[in-house]
C-alpha cells in the first residue's frame, strides 16, 4: 500500500535507486576493545597517542580551562619523549608494535576460531585510543551485515575512565548512523568464577616455576583519583572484591595477597596503598621475596612490563629486596581465552 492508498506490486529495483548499494544483514558482531597503543615510539606518534588519551574527559575530569594549558603547554611537550623511551624498552620488535596490540589481535583471532561453529558471528578488535579505532571497526562490522553487536571493553573491573569511555565512543559512533545495529555492552566481570579461577591458577602455576617462595604476593591494579571514587565510581570496590575472591580461591589470608594501586598521574591523591611505595616499604621492613600480579589488565602492556616488571623490581632490589617476580597477565593463553570466551558466550545468549 503506498501513501495514496493504492495497492502496488513492485520489485526491489523499483523501490531503490539504481545506484543503491547492496545491504548485508543477518550477522552478529563481537568487538573486543582495549585501552590503546601508539603506532610507534617516536615523539610524533607518542604525542598523537597521548593527546587523544589525555583530552578524554573521562580520563581527566578537570575543567578544560584549567587542564588544557597544562596539557598543551607542558605535558605534551615533555611526556612523549619519556613515555616513548619506556615503550621502546618493551616494544615487540618482531612485529614492530606494542604487545598490547599483539595480544588483542591474537585474542580476537582465537575467539573467532572458538566461535567458528556459529558462522553468522563475526569477531573484530579495536582500541579506544589509537588504531584500529572503535568507529572504524564498528562501521566495518555493520557494513559486513552485523545487525547486532556485542561490545566488550576488556576491563574486568568497571571504571568510568576505562569501561565507560569505550561505551561512550561506541554510542558516539552510532549517533552518526542512519541505520544503527543493536548494541549490547559487556558488564564488568571482576567476580566471574571463570576469571577468578584463571587468575588464581596463573598465580599457582607461576609460583611453582620458581626455585624460591614469595613472602608476599601483591595484586596491583591501575589506580584512579580518589575524587572519582568519592563521586561514586565502583572501581575500588570491584578491585577489592577480585582480590578477596582470588584469596579465597587460593586459600590464602590477607597478609599473603595484598591489594595496591599503580600508575598515578598528576597532583591529586589516588587510590591507596600505592604499589611503588608498598614495594619500597616491604623491602625496608626486611621482606626479601615478593611477587606482583596485575589482575585488572587483560594483556601485558607498558604498565605491567615496564612499570611493574622493571621499575617495581628495581625499587624492591634498591631497598634490600632479593627476589622479585612479575606474574604475567592472562594475555592470549588458553586460560585467558577461556575467560573471554565464557563472557562472550554468555552475552551472546538470545542472539545466536
Amino acid at each position: 500500500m503506498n501513501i495514496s492508498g493504492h495497492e502496488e506490486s513492485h520489485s526491489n529495483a523499483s523501490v531503490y535507486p539504481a545506484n543503491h548499494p547492496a545491504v548485508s544483514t543477518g550477522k552478529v558482531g563481537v568487538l573486543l576493545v582495549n585501552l590503546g597503543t601508539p603506532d610507534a615510539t617516536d615523539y610524533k606518534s607518542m604525542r598523537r597517542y597521548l593527546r587523544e588519551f589525555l583530552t578524554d574527559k573521562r580520563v581527566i575530569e578537570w575543567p578544560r580551562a584549567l587542564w588544557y594549558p597544562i596539557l598543551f603547554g607542558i605535558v605534551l611537550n615533555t611526556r612523549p619523549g619519556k613515555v616513548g623511551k619506556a615503550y621502546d624498552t618493551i616494544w615487540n620488535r618482531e612485529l614492530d608494535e606494542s604487545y598490547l596490540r599483539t595480544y588483542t589481535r591474537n585474542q580476537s583471532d582465537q575467539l573467532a576460531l572458538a566461535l567458528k561453529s556459529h558462522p553468522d558471528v563475526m569477531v573484530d578488535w579495536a582500541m579506544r585510543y589509537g588504531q584500529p579505532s572503535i568507529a572504524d571497526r564498528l562501521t566495518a562490522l555493520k557494513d559486513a551485515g552485523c545487525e547486532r553487536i556485542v561490545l566488550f571493553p576488556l576491563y574486568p573491573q568497571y571504571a568510568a575512565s576505562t569501561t565507560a569511555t569505550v561505551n561512550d565512543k561506541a554510542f558516539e559512533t552510532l549517533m552518526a548512523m542512519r541505520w544503527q545495529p543493536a548494541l549490547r555492552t559487556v558488564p564488568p566481570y571482576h567476580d566471574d568464577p571463570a576469571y577468578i579461577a584463571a587468575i588464581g591458577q596463573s598465580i599457582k602455576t607461576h609460583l611453582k616455576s620458581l626455585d624460591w617462595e614469595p613472602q608476599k604476593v601483591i595484586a596491583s591494579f591501575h589506580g584512579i583519583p580518589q575524587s572519582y571514587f568519592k563521586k561514586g565510581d565502583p572501581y575500588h570496590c570491584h578491585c577489592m572484591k577480585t582480590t578477596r575472591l582470588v584469596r579465597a580461591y587460593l586459600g590464602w589470608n590477607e597478609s599473603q595477597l595484598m591489594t595496591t594501586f599503580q600508575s598515578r598521574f598528576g597532583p591529586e591523591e589516588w587510590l591507596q596503598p600505592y604499589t611503588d611505595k608498598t614495594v619500597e616499604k616491604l623491602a625496608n621492613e626486611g621482606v626479601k621475596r615478593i611477587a606482583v600480579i596485575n589482575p585488572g589488565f587483560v594483556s601485558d602492556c607498558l604498565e605491567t612490563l615496564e612499570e611493574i616488571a622493571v621499575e617495581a623490581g628495581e625499587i624492591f632490589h634498591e631497598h634490600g629486596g632479593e627476589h622479585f617476580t612479575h606474574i604475567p597477565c592472562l594475555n592470549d593463553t588458553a586460560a585467558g581465552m577461556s575467560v573471554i570466551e565464557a563472557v562472550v558466550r554468555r552475552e551472546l545468549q538470545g542472539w545466536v
Side-chain angles (χ1 to χ4, degrees):
M1 188 79 70
N2 66 12
I3 59 174
S4 64
H6 299 290
E7 292 185 0
E8 292 183 350
S9 175
H10 47 237
S11 66
N12 286 341
S14 66
V15 176
Y16 298 110
N19 63 348
H20 192 281
V23 178
S24 298
T25 59
K27 302 288 186 181
V28 177
V30 177
L31 186 64
L32 305 181
V33 185
N34 215 317
L35 181 76
T37 175
D39 296 319
T41 62
D42 62 278
Y43 181 90
K44 185 177 180 180
S45 298
M46 289 305 312
R47 191 179 193 279
R48 182 170 60 246
Y49 169 69
L50 289 173
R51 176 174 176 163
E52 184 181 9
F53 177 48
L54 295 175
T55 54
D56 186 344
K57 290 183 179 179
R58 289 284 197 179
V59 174
I60 305 295
E61 297 185 3
W62 295 355
R64 289 191 172 185
L66 173 65
W67 171 233
Y68 272 23
I70 299 171
L71 175 64
F72 289 97
I74 302 173
V75 176
L76 291 179
N77 293 319
T78 58
R79 281 189 71 83
K82 179 181 178 181
V83 179
K85 289 179 181 178
Y87 264 103
D88 194 60
T89 65
I90 54 95
W91 203 247
N92 184 340
R93 303 292 179 187
E94 182 180 353
L95 297 178
D96 191 24
E97 63 185 18
S98 71
Y99 277 100
L100 184 64
R101 185 191 299 274
T102 302
Y103 288 131
T104 307
R105 182 177 55 246
N106 290 349
Q107 288 161 347
S108 175
D109 291 346
Q110 290 191 41
L111 180 62
L113 287 175
L115 298 175
K116 64 182 180 180
S117 61
H118 300 287
D120 289 335
V121 175
M122 304 180 68
V123 181
D124 206 341
W125 60 284
M127 295 292 177
R128 171 60 184 87
Y129 314 104
Q131 300 299 321
S133 71
I134 293 172
D136 286 348
R137 302 327 301 161
L138 272 180
T139 301
L141 286 171
K142 175 182 175 291
D143 290 346
C146 293
E147 298 177 284
R148 307 177 186 202
I149 298 174
V150 172
L151 181 74
F152 192 170
L154 292 171
Y155 309 109
Q157 296 78 23
Y158 177 97
S161 55
T162 53
T163 309
T165 189
V166 168
N167 294 341
D168 288 349
K169 184 59 66 171
F171 284 109
E172 178 184 296
T173 302
L174 263 62
M175 286 173 66
M177 293 181 178
R178 169 69 61 180
W179 184 358
Q180 296 177 337
L183 192 67
R184 181 179 286 178
T185 61
V186 173
Y189 57 101
H190 60 288
D191 55 358
D192 187 288
Y195 162 69
I196 297 300
I199 294 295
Q201 195 57 47
S202 72
I203 294 174
K204 293 172 67 175
T205 300
H206 185 83
L207 297 189
K208 285 181 181 178
S209 71
L210 305 175
D211 59 4
W212 52 274
E213 183 177 347
Q215 294 165 272
K216 302 280 185 181
V217 178
I218 298 173
S220 178
F221 296 87
H222 198 291
I224 62 171
Q226 289 273 9
S227 60
Y228 296 10
F229 172 55
K230 292 176 181 178
K231 290 176 183 177
D233 201 302
Y235 180 71
H236 178 267
C237 301
H238 287 185
C239 294
M240 298 304 290
K241 187 173 184 180
T242 293
T243 302
R244 176 172 60 80
L245 293 175
V246 171
R247 193 183 291 132
Y249 178 89
L250 295 170
W252 290 2
N253 59 43
E254 291 188 17
S255 68
Q256 290 174 288
L257 182 62
M258 308 169 59
T259 301
T260 61
F261 298 91
Q262 63 181 83
S263 309
R264 63 190 183 277
F265 172 79
E268 283 193 75
E269 286 293 313
W270 283 46
L271 295 180
Q272 297 184 35
Y274 298 137
T275 300
D276 55 354
K277 299 299 184 183
T278 299
V279 166
E280 179 180 336
K281 181 173 182 289
L282 288 173
N284 287 334
E285 290 175 348
V287 174
K288 300 298 184 183
R289 306 180 305 277
I290 67 171
V292 183
I293 188 170
N294 298 104
F297 294 84
V298 169
S299 302
D300 276 309
C301 54
L302 183 71
E303 287 81 3
T304 66
L305 296 173
E306 200 274 336
E307 185 178 354
I308 298 301
V310 177
E311 287 187 10
E314 290 176 350
I315 292 171
F316 187 64
H317 289 125
E318 286 171 2
H319 290 84
E322 295 178 357
H323 295 286
F324 177 96
T325 187
H326 173 248
I327 302 171
C329 294
L330 296 176
N331 297 319
D332 54 1
T333 62
M337 291 310 306
S338 70
V339 178
I340 292 175
E341 182 182 348
V343 173
V344 169
R345 285 187 180 277
R346 180 178 67 237
E347 297 306 317
L348 282 172
Q349 289 182 23
W351 279 7
V352 296

